[in-house]
């Protein structure tokens, strides 16, 4: 198989296990390209990509832009600050304007759930852009598919296989698009997933996705091979989901003492940005257990693979 | 291998190079190469994935066994990302592994592929090799050259055998169960 079953990457949920394997195996070849003295290939030279970031982002935006430039695409960057959005333009109008400029690929991050699906549903109204492909770079608390794919790639690089592997996702599951995409992906590839965090930050009924739940950090860490530690968003504390950052760090923070209590060595991941001293101490984030910087490095290769596979769909017709 | 698949489909086939002649071709290519290079072991050999690699492995084996020349730098190069027909075909190529454990900067490089046809793979190969530095020189060796079918101004320095084939015919180099080159018709017309 050499093509994705979907026209857009709106989330992990619509992907098949074969799609995921295709993206990850293509990413492996792009990682080799990134080791060359000249790290650029001409594949996307006739493609224009618009990066629409309606929400702040550092690594995702830079990673996408680097991936696009390594593939020789023309790149347009848009960020919500400094745009007409600040003047009250709606998503529909902003998107309409960008689509009218005839772009081939749209990478979008938006604070609202389903924004990418909405944009995808509007494409057919714009003959010049009806062929465009959309990549979700994070929509609200819904999905962040490229992060889940690069997490899976990083785990595979370390362990060689996901089937039967035990992965814990620790922290604010309720507001995390990374957690949701990771759950979908890991389950599709046969990994076991356990969620760990305070009850207020774990959504009710999430067991239906085939995951187990724990509120005890030590139990979870003893169970898992890989711990994916999520960022605690400081504004959540103000909203009353937990009493204080200090208390959170004490019960759910990863530190040296906690790791020393385990009878085995585990791998630690974090999607960034890290709140050092809250969900993980600086010492652990920089330790030999952590593959956080490998995740960032793999992100470029994985995003190159996604753009390459989406743009390569013949004649862009559905 | 593609060849096996086409045989299974019962296509008409014709042998262009028999298993008996194949070693002679490989030996002749070694001699031509040695004639031009006073320090052959310093040449970096880069074979194009996937089929050029099988040819490269066989050729290097003959070079070592018959002529005692060892090539320490043998790379496998995938050209998928450098092809000019990306987005112009129904199916995307699945990239194969690239293994280039050396740089080609200021080196004499020999690029290998099994069949030279339109020249487009070789063009992509040139583009891909240049990502690994600026070679002092770059030569091309092919086992089979299809004459009168080039779409780009590309010729090989070393040719095992020149053949004529129609555009609806395929030339395949097979290494299993025994090495040979066959010609067969495809239903697709050019």
């Amino acid at each position: 198989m050499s093509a994705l079953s979907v026209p857009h990457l709106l989330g992990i949920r619509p992907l098949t296990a074969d799609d995921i394997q295709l993206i990850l195996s293509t990413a492996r070849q792009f990682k080799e390209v990134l080791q060359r003295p000249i790290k650029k290939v001409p594949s996307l030279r006739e493609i224009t990509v618009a990066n629409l970031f309606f929400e702040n982002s550092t690594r995702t935006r830079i990673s996408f832009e680097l991936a696009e430039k390594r593939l020789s695409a023309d790149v347009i960057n848009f960020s919500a600050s400094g745009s007409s959005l600040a003047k009250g333009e709606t998503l529909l109008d902003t998107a309409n304007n960008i689509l009218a400029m005839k772009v081939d690929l749209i990478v979008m991050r938006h604070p609202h759930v389903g924004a990418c699906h909405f944009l995808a549903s509007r494409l057919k109204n714009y003959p010049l852009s009806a062929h465009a492909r959309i990549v979700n770079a994070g929509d609200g608390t819904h999905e962040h598919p490229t992060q889940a794919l690069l997490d899976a790639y990083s785990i595979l690089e370390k362990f060689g296989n996901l089937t039967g592997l035990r992965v814990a996702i620790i922290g604010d599951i309720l507001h995390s698009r990374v957690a949701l995409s990771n759950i979908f992906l890991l389950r599709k590839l046969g990994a076991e997933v356990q969620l760990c965090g305070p009850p207020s930050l774990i959504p009710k009924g999430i067991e239906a996705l085939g995951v187990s739940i724990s509120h005890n950090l030590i139990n979870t860490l003893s169970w898992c091979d890989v711990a994916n530690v999520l960022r605690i968003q400081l504004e959540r504390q103000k909203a009353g989901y937990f009493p204080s950052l200090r208390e959170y760090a004490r019960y759910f923070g990863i530190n040296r003492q906690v790791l020393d209590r385990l009878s085995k060595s585990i791998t630690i991941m974090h999607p960034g940005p890290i709140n050092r001293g809250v969900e993980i101490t600086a010492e652990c984030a920089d330790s030999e257990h952590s593959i956080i910087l490998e995740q960032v490095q793999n992100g470029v290769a994985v995003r190159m693979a996604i753009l390459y596979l989406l743009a390569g769909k013949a004649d862009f017709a559905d | 291998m593609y060849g096996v698949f086409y045989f299974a489909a019962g296509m008409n086939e014709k042998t262009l190079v028999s298993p008996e002649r194949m070693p002679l071709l490989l030996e002749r290519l070694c001699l031509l190469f040695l004639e031009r290079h006073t320090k052959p072991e310093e040449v970096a050999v880069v074979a194009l994935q996937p089929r050029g690699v099988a040819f490269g492995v066989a050729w290097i084996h003959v070079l070592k066994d018959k002529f005692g020349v060892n090539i320490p730098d043998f790379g496998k190069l995938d050209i998928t990302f450098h092809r000019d027909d990306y987005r112009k075909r129904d199916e995307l190529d699945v990239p194969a592994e690239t293994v280039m454990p050396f740089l080609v900067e200021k080196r004499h490089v020999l690029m290998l592929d099994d069949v030279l046809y339109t020249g487009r793979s070789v063009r992509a190969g040139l583009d891909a090799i240049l990502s690994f530095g600026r070679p002092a020189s770059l030569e091309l060796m092919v086992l089979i050259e299809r004459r009168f079918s080039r779409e780009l101004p590309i010729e090989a320095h070393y040719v095992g055998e020149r053949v004529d084939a129609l555009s609806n015919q395929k030339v395949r180099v097979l290494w299993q169960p025994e090495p040979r080159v066959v010609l067969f018709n495809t239903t697709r017309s050019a």
Side-chain angles (χ1 to χ4, degrees):
Chain A
M1 197 195 72
S2 63
L4 295 175
S5 65
V6 290
H8 311 288
L9 182 69
L10 301 177
I12 297 293
R13 199 185 341 210
L15 298 183
T16 63
D18 282 346
D19 288 333
I20 296 167
Q21 297 288 8
L22 178 65
I23 292 171
L24 298 178
S25 65
T26 309
R28 202 165 304 128
Q29 308 311 326
F30 276 117
K31 188 153 186 198
E32 182 279 319
V33 169
L34 294 173
Q35 320 287 334
R36 299 178 185 178
I38 296 173
K39 301 163 183 62
K40 198 165 175 143
V41 293
S43 302
L44 260 57
R45 64 187 160 191
E46 55 198 83
I47 299 261
T48 306
V49 187
N51 295 322
L52 312 184
F53 280 78
F54 295 91
E55 197 183 79
N56 291 340
S57 164
T58 310
R59 79 213 71 220
T60 304
R61 187 169 55 78
I62 291 175
S63 179
F64 264 112
E65 193 172 342
L66 197 56
E68 290 148 9
K69 288 182 170 168
R70 296 281 190 237
L71 286 165
S72 306
D74 289 324
V75 180
I76 306 167
N77 283 311
F78 166 94
S79 58
S81 56
S83 72
S84 293
L85 208 70
K87 299 175 191 166
E89 192 172 67
T90 61
L91 167 65
L92 179 58
D93 284 326
T94 308
N96 284 351
N97 280 287
I98 286 166
L99 291 175
M101 290 177 210
K102 190 179 180 324
V103 294
D104 305 302
L105 269 165
I106 296 168
V107 174
M108 187 161 91
R109 166 168 291 190
H110 199 279
H112 292 156
V113 169
C116 295
H117 291 76
F118 170 71
L119 191 60
S121 71
R122 302 287 309 171
L123 283 178
K124 59 181 183 298
N125 301 342
Y126 296 88
L128 278 177
S129 294
H131 65 287
R133 302 287 177 217
I134 295 171
V135 181
N136 182 356
D139 60 333
T141 56
H142 179 222
E143 281 223 46
H144 190 352
T146 58
Q147 179 70 42
L149 285 160
L150 75 90
D151 287 347
Y153 184 89
S154 306
I155 297 174
L156 274 178
E157 209 174 44
K158 175 128 189 178
F159 291 90
N161 197 354
L162 275 169
T163 313
L165 201 73
R166 294 171 163 187
V167 182
I169 305 176
I170 300 165
D172 182 359
I173 313 294
L174 184 62
H175 301 97
S176 174
R177 52 191 171 212
V178 176
L180 198 56
S181 287
N182 259 295
I183 292 169
F184 287 137
L185 193 155
L186 292 166
R187 295 298 299 143
K188 278 177 201 273
L189 292 195
E192 292 181 50
V193 182
Q194 184 166 100
L195 309 177
C196 178
S200 57
L201 290 176
I202 294 193
K204 298 257 182 305
I206 198 157
E207 300 91 330
L209 299 180
V211 298
S212 57
I213 288 170
S214 152
H215 303 302
N216 183 311
L217 183 67
I218 290 288
N219 288 350
T220 296
L221 293 179
S222 307
W223 171 85
C224 72
D225 303 302
V226 179
N228 198 346
V229 185
L230 303 177
R231 184 171 78 97
I232 281 295
Q233 296 167 6
L234 304 180
E235 58 272 23
R236 306 289 177 227
Q237 192 249 317
K238 294 196 187 91
Y241 285 99
F242 51 91
S244 73
L245 286 176
R246 193 164 159 215
E247 182 171 320
Y248 181 86
R250 182 158 169 186
Y251 284 98
F252 294 101
I254 310 276
N255 56 45
R256 176 57 66 186
Q257 291 74 33
V258 167
L259 292 183
D260 284 346
R261 281 173 66 187
L262 306 176
S263 56
K264 59 175 181 180
S265 167
I266 60 166
T267 298
I268 295 174
M269 304 171 70
H270 193 298
I274 304 175
N275 289 314
R276 287 174 184 253
V278 182
E279 66 266 10
I280 185 166
T281 59
E283 186 191 9
C284 292
D286 302 330
S287 72
E288 72 282 2
H289 300 290
S290 147
I291 55 167
I292 295 172
L293 291 178
E294 281 87 341
Q295 288 174 267
V296 178
Q297 202 181 37
N298 293 334
V300 179
V302 167
R303 291 182 172 111
M304 283 172 85
I306 291 161
L307 296 168
Y308 175 84
L309 291 168
L310 285 180
K313 288 194 81 115
D315 76 17
F316 274 26
D318 285 320
Chain B
M1 294 290 272
Y2 277 101
V4 175
F5 171 75
Y6 280 108
F7 285 131
M11 302 278 179
N12 292 331
E13 61 169 273
K14 180 186 161 193
T15 302
L16 296 176
V17 179
S18 65
E20 293 74 35
R21 278 192 58 225
M22 198 69 143
L24 295 175
L25 247 62
L26 292 171
E27 280 177 38
R28 196 163 63 78
L29 285 170
C30 292
L31 287 168
L32 290 170
F33 171 74
L34 294 172
E35 192 179 295
R36 284 173 77 128
H37 291 277
T38 48
K39 292 178 180 170
E41 57 287 331
E42 290 181 10
V43 175
V45 175
V46 179
L48 300 189
Q49 285 275 28
R51 287 189 284 267
V53 171
F55 165 46
V57 168
W59 180 74
I60 280 191
H61 191 72
V62 175
L63 198 62
K64 190 175 179 190
D65 274 11
K66 298 268 177 181
F67 301 95
V69 174
N70 195 24
I71 299 280
D73 284 339
F74 176 59
K76 303 170 189 175
L77 183 64
D78 183 80
I79 57 166
T80 307
F81 302 137
H82 295 269
R83 295 195 69 94
D84 60 4
D85 54 2
Y86 171 69
R87 300 183 63 227
K88 294 183 173 60
R89 308 200 315 182
D90 295 338
E91 285 263 305
L92 263 182
D93 275 344
V94 178
E97 188 184 35
T98 291
V99 184
M100 289 282 286
F102 52 88
L103 292 184
V104 300
E105 186 75 26
K106 296 182 182 166
R107 298 281 303 273
H108 292 287
V109 179
L110 175 69
M111 186 159 84
L112 293 178
D113 204 1
D114 63 346
V115 180
L116 174 59
Y117 179 29
T118 62
R120 287 180 190 269
S121 297
V122 172
R123 190 219 51 84
L126 291 172
D127 196 22
I129 278 189
L130 296 178
S131 317
F132 293 89
R134 180 177 185 268
S137 71
L138 214 166
E139 293 179 321
L140 175 63
M141 178 184 288
V142 294
L143 187 61
I144 302 294
E145 179 195 322
R146 290 179 66 163
R147 296 199 299 170
F148 314 122
S149 49
R150 220 71 68 244
E151 292 168 4
L152 295 170
I154 283 171
E155 290 303 327
H157 295 80
Y158 312 100
V159 176
E161 178 103 333
R162 292 190 169 82
V163 304
D164 294 328
L166 300 173
S167 56
N168 65 345
Q169 294 176 318
K170 271 192 184 294
V171 175
R172 274 282 183 267
V173 180
L174 304 171
W175 300 95
Q176 298 293 337
E178 47 189 0
R180 66 200 190 285
V181 181
V182 295
L183 173 80
F184 55 90
N185 295 314
T186 61
T187 46
R188 189 164 49 114
S189 57

